[in-house]
Amino acid sequence: MRHTYLLLLLLFSPALSMAGILRGRVTDENNKGLPFASIYIKETASGTATNDQGLYQLQLSPGTYTLEFKYVGYRAHTQTVTIGEAAQELNVQLQPEVLNLKEVVVKASDEDPAYAIMRNAIRLRRYHRDEVNAWSARVYMKGVARMDKVPSKILGVKIVDVDTGIVYLSESVSELAFKKPNKIHERMISSKVSGQKKGFSFNQASEMNISFYDPLLKVEGLSERGFVSPLANNAFMFYRFEYLGTFQENGRTINKIKVIPRRKHDPVFAGSIYIVDGSWRIHSTDLKLTKDAGIEFVDWIRVRQVYAPVAEEVWMPVSQRFTFEAAGLGFKGGGYAMGVYSNYKVQPAYARPPKVEEVAPEPTPETEVAAAKPAKKPKYKVVEPEEAAPPAQPVVSDALFSKEVLLVEKDANKRDSAYWASVRPVPLTQEEVVDYHEKDSLEVIRNSRPYQDSLDAVRNKPSFGSFLLGGYTYSNTFERKYYQFDPLLSLTGGPSILQYNTVEGVAADVRVNYRKSFENRTYYQIEPGVRYGFSNQKLNAKLLLRYQYDPIKNSTISVEGGRYVSQINNLDPISPFVNTLYTLLAERNYMKLYQLDFGHISYRSELWNGLRFNTSVDYAHRMPLENTNDFSFRDRGTDEPSRFTSNVPENAELADASFSPHQALTVTAALSIKPGMRYISRPDNKINLGSKYPAFTLSYRGGIKAFGGDVKYGTAGLAISDDVSFGLLGRSKYNVLGATFWGKQNMRLMDYKHFNGNRTLIAGTYEGFQLLDYYRYSTKNRYLEAHYEHHFNGFLFNKIPLFRRLKWQEVVSLNYLNTQESRHYLELGLGIEHIFKVLRVDFVTSFQEGNKARTGVLVGFGF
C-alpha cells in the first residue's frame, strides 16, 4: 500500500522526481502510520508534518541535516541525513514514550507535583509569550472538510449538489510576519481550491496563530466568550492538573501534565500539555474542546501544537492542527485545518531568558525547632530576563504593517501542479489526490449550462411553505440571474405580500427583485413594486434601479421613483405582519401611513479604509391618507366604541399633527469612520474585520426651499457606537446619538426626528426602544438617544444546572431618551436569549422623570 501510494504521488506530482527530495513514512510500534507527526529540521529552523497515512516529503538543498521526528505520546527520534542529487526514502518508527515518575515522597496532605510545574509555567507565561520582538515565517496551510452522512431532505426541502466524501479541500502558502505589540500581516502567495480553478482559499494563517500563552483564547465562530488557557493566571480556578511523568528529549526533561476541567461546563480545555523542565515553556499540546465548553456549530475540536527551538532560547510553533467533528439536521462530518511553519526569522527580546528561583527563608531563632513544625511551602521569584540588543538589520520592516491583515495576491490561484509539488510539505492522501483530480476534471461540467440548469430545476421547484412564509427565489445560476418574490406573510418583520391596515384595508404589496451578477462581483438590481388597497381602492407603483460598480469599496448608486405608501415614521418601527395581527386581533392600528409621489437617488462608498460616505436626494409630493376600514376579529358590543385611532398620530410638540398636500426637497449625507479598521484584501473584494475603536458618524439632513419645495430645516448629529468584549463576562454593545435642528420653517411630522418605538408584545429592533410610543416624542428640537446592551453569554446561567442544560443565556439592556417633551425617559430590561436557540424574552420597565411608567414582557429573536 505504501509503495502504491508513493507511485500515485509520482504520477500526480511530477516535480517530486527532482533531486533533493526526501520522503518516507512515520509509523508507530505496530507499523501503523502516525498522522500529523512533526518533522523538524534544526539547520533551517523549518519543518513539515505527515499526512493522515503518516507519509511525509521534504525538498532540501544538498547537504547534511539533523531531522527530529516527533509525535505527541511518542519518544522523539533524531537522525542525521545527507541529501544529494538523488531522491531518498527514510522511514521512521517511533516508540511510545516511557514516562518516568520523579522520586518524591508523597504525603496525604501534599498536592500533585503537576501544580508546582504549572505554577512555574504560569509565572513565566508572559515572558514566553513576549520572547520575540518580531518574527516572520512561511506557513503552509491545508483545510479539509468532509461529509460522512447527508440527509435527503431538510424541513421538506430536497438537498442537491451535496454528497458524502470531501466537500472542501484547499491549500495555501503565506508569508506571515509579526511585530510587537500586536502588528501582524499575512501575504498569501499561492492558493488552491479543489474544483475551483479561479477560487481563492479562505485559509488564514494569522487566524490560526493562537497561543496558549494568552490567558484567554478567542477563536472566531467557535464561542462568544473565549476559552481559558491552562496557563492563565487564574487557571487553578478552572483546572485540576495531574502529573503523568517525564521523558528525556535532546538532553531536556519534558513533563507531561494531564489537564482536567474543574467543572463540566466551564469554557476550558481537556487533554495533555507538555512543559519543558527548568525553562517551564510549552513543548507541545494535545487539548480538546467539547460542547460542554460552550463551542458552537461543532461537537468537538482538538488542538495539537508542536514547538521547537528556532533560535537560541527561542521556541516557536512548527506545526499546528485543528481537528473537528459535527453533526446536526441529519448531516454528519468533520475535517481539519493544519499549518506548517518554516523559514523562521526571529528577533529575540531577551539576551538571557528568565528563570524561576526558590527564595531562601530568612534565618530566625526558631530555625532550631523548625523540624518540629510542618514545613511551609517554598516561595519563588522570577529572575527578570536581560533584554537583547536591537539587530543591525530588522527582521521585519515597519513598512510591511498596516491595517491590512491579509493580502491575497492576484495570481495566487494560477500556480501549476509542478509548483505545488515543490512547495507542499505535507503529502496529499490518496483521497485528496483523487478529489483534486476528479473535481478539477469535473469543473468544466459543473460550470456548464446543462448541469447548472438541472440543479436549478430542483432548486426552483416551488413549495407551499416558500410562498407562504419564506419567499420564493427563481435562479438561473449559469447566467447569474435571480428573481426573488416576497412571502405572503413575513414572520421576521420583512415585507410581505398580504397585509391589513385601517387605511387600505386588505392590501396587496407585490415586489419582484431581479438581480444580475457578473464574474467581477459587480451587479445591477431592478425591483418593481405594485401595491393596491382594496378598501381605499388606490393603486400604487414604483421602480428601484441599483448598480454596484465597485465591490472593493462597496460603491453603489440607486435610483427609485413612483407613487407609493410609506410610514410617517421613516424608521418603519412596526412590521406589516405585526401591525396586521394587532389591527385584526386587538383593534390597535399602530401603523400610520401617507402617500407620496417621489423620486430618490442615493450613493454610498468607502472613501478610504474605515471611512464611509452615504448621501441621497429626495423630491416628493406628500399626501395625507385617512382610515377607510374598521374591521377586526374582536367581538365588540353594540354600544362599545372602536379602539381604532385616527391615522393622524399624536405628538407632544404638535397640537395637530395633520398636514395638507405639499412638496419636499430633502438632502441627506453621512460620514462614518471607524479608526484602526483591520481588513482583508482579496483580488475580488475587501473584507472589513473591525477595530478596537468605536465608530463615529456625522450626519446631516435638510429640507431645501427650491424647485417647489415647501419645507426648510437643517439637522446635524453625531453618533458613537461600538461592540466591546469583556472576555468571560460577555460582550457589550452601545450606541449614543445626539443632534440639533436649526432654520425650521414649515416642517411636517415626517420631517421630525423619529425614534424606533414599540407598543406590542413582539420585540422590535433591539437597538431601539421597547415600550416607547411610535410618535409621541418625535421632535424637531435637540435630542439625546442612547442604547446599551450586555450579553453575558452564559457567565451567570452556566452556574445554574437547568439553564446550563437548556443553554439559555442572560442579557440586560438600557435605553435612554431626552427630548424637549420626554425629558428623562429610561427603559431597563432583563432578558433570556437562545431559548430553543432562536427566541429571546425580555422583562422591561420604563421610567419617566424617575417615575415608573410602563412594564412589559416582549418576545423576539435572540440567536
Side-chain angles (χ1 to χ4, degrees):
M1 178 64 190
R2 171 170 55 85
H3 296 294
T4 302
Y5 180 70
L6 292 175
L7 178 61
L8 282 170
L9 286 178
L10 290 171
L11 290 173
F12 287 100
S13 303
L16 290 182
S17 60
M18 297 170 56
I21 293 294
L22 178 69
R23 66 174 69 91
R25 191 165 184 247
V26 180
T27 60
D28 62 10
E29 70 278 15
N30 298 317
N31 207 34
K32 183 179 179 182
L34 289 174
F36 196 59
S38 173
I39 301 101
Y40 177 65
I41 310 163
K42 293 185 177 181
E43 286 76 11
T44 63
S46 302
T48 184
T50 61
N51 64 14
D52 286 355
Q53 276 91 43
L55 293 162
Y56 74 94
Q57 67 186 38
L58 289 166
Q59 184 175 13
L60 299 168
S61 301
T64 301
Y65 298 92
T66 305
L67 274 59
E68 188 174 57
F69 297 82
K70 293 183 179 181
Y71 191 79
V72 175
Y74 285 77
R75 283 185 290 179
H77 174 80
T78 302
Q79 187 157 340
T80 301
V81 296
T82 300
I83 302 297
E85 296 182 355
Q88 299 181 48
E89 183 175 326
L90 174 62
N91 299 316
V92 174
Q93 187 176 62
L94 299 183
Q95 298 299 319
E97 63 188 14
V98 179
L99 298 175
N100 301 311
L101 296 177
K102 291 181 179 179
E103 295 183 2
V104 294
V105 178
V106 180
K107 300 178 183 178
S109 59
D110 286 348
E111 65 179 3
D112 192 291
Y115 287 89
I117 296 170
M118 294 305 297
R119 283 194 187 93
N120 287 332
I122 292 170
R123 288 186 182 105
L124 297 183
R125 173 189 65 80
R126 181 171 59 87
Y127 298 96
H128 292 319
R129 182 194 63 188
D130 300 334
E131 68 181 351
V132 291
N133 288 324
W135 59 266
S136 66
R138 171 166 286 201
V139 185
Y140 165 82
M141 285 195 67
K142 181 163 71 173
V144 177
R146 56 176 300 110
M147 201 67 68
D148 300 318
K149 182 180 178 182
V150 178
S152 58
K153 291 182 179 181
I154 296 180
L155 302 176
V157 179
K158 190 173 182 179
I159 304 300
V160 297
D161 204 25
V162 179
D163 202 354
T164 56
I166 294 177
V167 294
Y168 179 77
L169 168 60
S170 173
E171 297 175 277
S172 65
V173 177
S174 296
E175 299 289 346
L176 187 62
F178 170 84
K179 189 170 185 178
K180 283 184 180 177
N182 55 4
K183 296 178 180 179
I184 193 164
H185 184 265
E186 178 181 355
R187 181 171 64 95
M188 186 180 291
I189 58 179
S190 51
S191 165
K192 184 176 178 65
V193 183
S194 180
Q196 299 179 37
K197 291 183 179 179
K198 295 183 180 181
F200 293 96
S201 171
F202 283 96
N203 296 338
Q204 190 173 338
S206 50
E207 269 193 357
M208 196 179 190
N209 192 44
I210 70 166
S211 172
F212 286 96
Y213 291 125
D214 291 324
L216 192 67
L217 286 77
K218 294 187 177 180
V219 182
E220 196 69 29
L222 276 185
S223 172
E224 298 169 326
R225 292 190 295 169
F227 307 97
V228 180
S229 168
L231 270 66
N233 291 342
N234 59 346
F236 294 124
M237 297 174 57
F238 294 90
Y239 292 100
R240 291 187 296 108
F241 299 101
E242 183 180 332
Y243 174 73
L244 298 180
T246 65
F247 60 91
Q248 299 296 311
E249 182 180 287
N250 297 326
R252 301 182 183 94
T253 300
I254 313 299
N255 299 285
K256 183 177 182 181
I257 308 297
K258 186 175 182 180
V259 178
I260 308 166
R262 283 194 177 273
R263 291 168 294 274
K264 184 178 180 182
H265 295 280
D266 278 346
V268 294
F269 297 84
S272 298
I273 188 168
Y274 295 75
I275 303 294
V276 181
D277 205 75
S279 64
W280 312 114
R281 63 171 70 251
I282 297 175
H283 169 274
S284 54
T285 66
D286 187 2
L287 297 168
K288 192 173 183 180
L289 292 168
T290 65
K291 284 282 190 183
D292 290 332
I295 60 175
E296 304 286 347
F297 308 116
V298 296
D299 294 333
W300 57 263
I301 184 166
R302 186 179 181 184
V303 183
R304 285 181 285 184
Q305 298 177 312
V306 176
Y307 284 72
V310 298
E312 189 68 27
E313 297 298 336
V314 174
W315 289 50
M316 299 290 288
V318 293
S319 61
Q320 298 190 87
R321 177 163 169 151
F322 298 79
T323 311
F324 66 90
E325 282 191 4
L329 297 175
F331 290 95
K332 185 177 181 181
Y336 66 86
M338 68 176 299
V340 176
Y341 299 75
S342 60
N343 299 339
Y344 267 113
K345 296 178 182 178
V346 299
Q347 178 189 336
Y350 313 129
R352 184 189 65 209
K355 59 181 178 178
V356 177
E357 289 185 351
E358 185 175 341
V359 178
E362 294 287 339
T364 62
E366 290 82 9
T367 303
E368 293 77 11
V369 295
K373 297 181 180 179
K376 293 182 178 180
K377 289 184 179 179
K379 294 183 178 180
Y380 296 88
K381 69 175 182 178
V382 175
V383 178
E384 296 291 329
E386 177 185 337
E387 292 189 5
Q393 292 293 330
V395 170
V396 181
S397 171
D398 285 333
L400 183 64
F401 299 103
S402 65
K403 299 305 176 184
E404 182 184 64
V405 176
L406 169 63
L407 168 65
V408 181
E409 291 191 346
K410 184 178 180 180
D411 297 330
N413 59 352
K414 296 180 181 179
R415 314 291 187 182
D416 58 19
S417 59
Y419 166 85
W420 282 104
S422 67
V423 302
R424 181 184 289 127
V426 180
L428 299 175
T429 65
Q430 183 174 353
E431 184 184 26
E432 291 163 356
V433 171
V434 172
D435 188 76
Y436 269 136
H437 181 65
E438 289 185 349
K439 287 183 179 176
D440 289 347
S441 301
L442 291 172
E443 185 178 10
V444 176
I445 299 174
R446 294 171 70 91
N447 290 334
S448 67
R449 182 162 199 154
Y451 182 84
Q452 295 196 1
D453 285 351
S454 65
L455 294 180
D456 286 341
V458 178
R459 296 192 190 102
N460 294 336
K461 189 174 294 184
S463 66
F464 177 76
S466 62
F467 276 114
L468 179 63
L469 300 176
Y472 174 68
T473 299
Y474 180 89
S475 58
N476 186 321
T477 306
F478 183 81
E479 296 184 357
R480 295 188 176 91
K481 295 179 180 179
Y482 305 91
Y483 300 84
Q484 186 174 10
F485 301 84
D486 294 330
L488 288 176
L489 300 172
S490 175
L491 304 182
T492 59
S496 58
I497 294 177
L498 289 181
Q499 48 188 278
Y500 177 78
N501 58 74
T502 55
V503 172
E504 301 170 292
V506 175
D509 190 350
V510 181
R511 308 182 199 189
V512 180
N513 185 347
Y514 168 77
R515 177 166 168 160
K516 166 66 176 177
S517 301
F518 300 91
E519 190 172 352
N520 62 357
R521 298 178 70 93
T522 62
Y523 71 86
Y524 68 82
Q525 177 182 341
I526 303 174
E527 184 180 303
V530 177
R531 183 181 181 117
Y532 182 75
F534 287 89
S535 181
N536 66 355
Q537 298 181 345
K538 287 183 179 292
L539 178 66
N540 302 280
K542 66 176 181 177
L543 179 66
L544 167 67
L545 305 175
R546 178 176 289 127
Y547 177 50
Q548 178 178 280
Y549 61 90
D550 187 346
I552 304 295
K553 295 184 176 181
N554 196 21
S555 300
T556 305
I557 187 168
S558 301
V559 178
E560 188 177 15
R563 168 176 287 189
Y564 231 64
V565 173
S566 177
Q567 292 192 49
I568 294 175
N569 185 330
N570 59 354
L571 299 177
D572 293 339
I574 186 167
S575 72
F577 177 73
V578 174
N579 183 74
T580 298
L581 287 180
Y582 269 78
T583 304
L584 291 174
L585 301 177
E587 227 173 44
R588 299 288 185 181
N589 55 327
Y590 292 122
M591 184 181 287
K592 307 300 181 182
L593 302 171
Y594 74 104
Q595 184 173 292
L596 68 164
D597 299 334
F598 72 100
H600 167 87
I601 183 170
S602 65
Y603 169 80
R604 71 180 185 190
S605 182
E606 185 178 42
L607 303 180
W608 294 281
N609 177 50
L611 180 65
R612 297 197 57 81
F613 177 67
N614 300 281
T615 187
S616 66
V617 178
D618 292 81
Y619 188 86
H621 175 67
R622 305 191 293 205
M623 296 161 283
L625 293 173
E626 297 179 350
N627 290 340
T628 63
N629 199 301
D630 64 353
F631 173 79
S632 75
F633 294 144
R634 182 170 173 264
D635 186 12
R636 189 170 61 238
T638 55
D639 297 330
E640 185 181 353
S642 170
R643 293 196 293 177
F644 287 132
T645 58
S646 166
N647 189 49
V648 178
E650 293 184 3
N651 179 261
E653 295 182 12
L654 289 171
D656 182 4
S658 62
F659 65 93
S660 57
H662 63 278
Q663 285 74 40
L665 174 63
T666 56
V667 176
T668 66
L671 197 63
S672 177
I673 183 169
K674 192 169 180 66
M677 176 73 76
R678 298 176 301 112
Y679 63 94
I680 295 173
S681 293
R682 296 170 67 89
D684 52 357
N685 70 331
K686 174 176 179 279
I687 304 173
N688 288 331
L689 300 176
S691 164
K692 65 179 181 179
Y693 300 104
F696 300 87
T697 302
L698 181 64
S699 60
Y700 167 81
R701 175 167 58 92
I704 303 173
K705 273 201 170 184
F707 303 103
D710 297 319
V711 300
K712 182 180 179 182
Y713 65 92
T715 177
L718 177 65
I720 304 174
S721 62
D722 202 5
D723 188 340
V724 184
S725 173
F726 291 94
L728 296 180
L729 293 176
R731 300 188 68 89
S732 285
K733 296 170 61 177
Y734 70 84
N735 181 32
V736 181
L737 169 63
T740 188
F741 285 80
W742 67 89
K744 298 169 283 189
Q745 296 180 21
N746 300 323
M747 290 183 67
R748 309 311 202 273
L749 183 58
M750 54 278 296
D751 300 309
Y752 282 35
K753 165 60 184 177
H754 299 285
F755 304 101
N756 236 323
N758 184 34
R759 296 301 300 271
T760 73
L761 296 176
I762 301 174
T765 172
Y766 288 108
E767 296 179 354
F769 297 92
Q770 298 303 322
L771 300 177
L772 187 70
D773 187 87
Y774 301 106
Y775 293 97
R776 179 168 297 278
Y777 297 122
S778 298
T779 185
K780 62 176 181 179
N781 298 295
R782 61 179 178 81
Y783 62 90
L784 178 65
E785 176 184 8
H787 304 278
Y788 174 81
E789 200 172 58
H790 184 77
H791 301 260
F792 286 93
N793 299 335
F795 178 76
L796 299 175
F797 280 6
N798 275 354
K799 312 297 188 296
I800 305 173
L802 177 60
F803 289 169
R804 183 176 63 229
R805 191 180 189 89
L806 294 172
K807 296 188 178 180
W808 291 359
Q809 296 184 5
E810 61 278 25
V811 59
V812 297
S813 60
L814 181 151
N815 302 304
Y816 174 79
L817 178 65
N818 185 286
T819 71
Q820 177 178 288
E821 295 297 328
S822 72
R823 301 296 181 179
H824 297 290
Y825 175 84
L826 179 68
E827 293 179 355
L828 298 176
L830 295 173
I832 301 174
E833 57 186 350
H834 293 192
I835 301 174
F836 304 119
K837 295 187 177 182
V838 297
L839 295 181
R840 170 174 166 176
V841 176
D842 288 81
F843 177 77
V844 185
T845 301
S846 63
F847 300 87
Q848 193 93 37
E849 287 290 282
N851 299 314
K852 188 175 179 180
R854 296 184 61 217
T855 60
V857 176
L858 297 101
V859 180
F861 290 103
F863 297 96

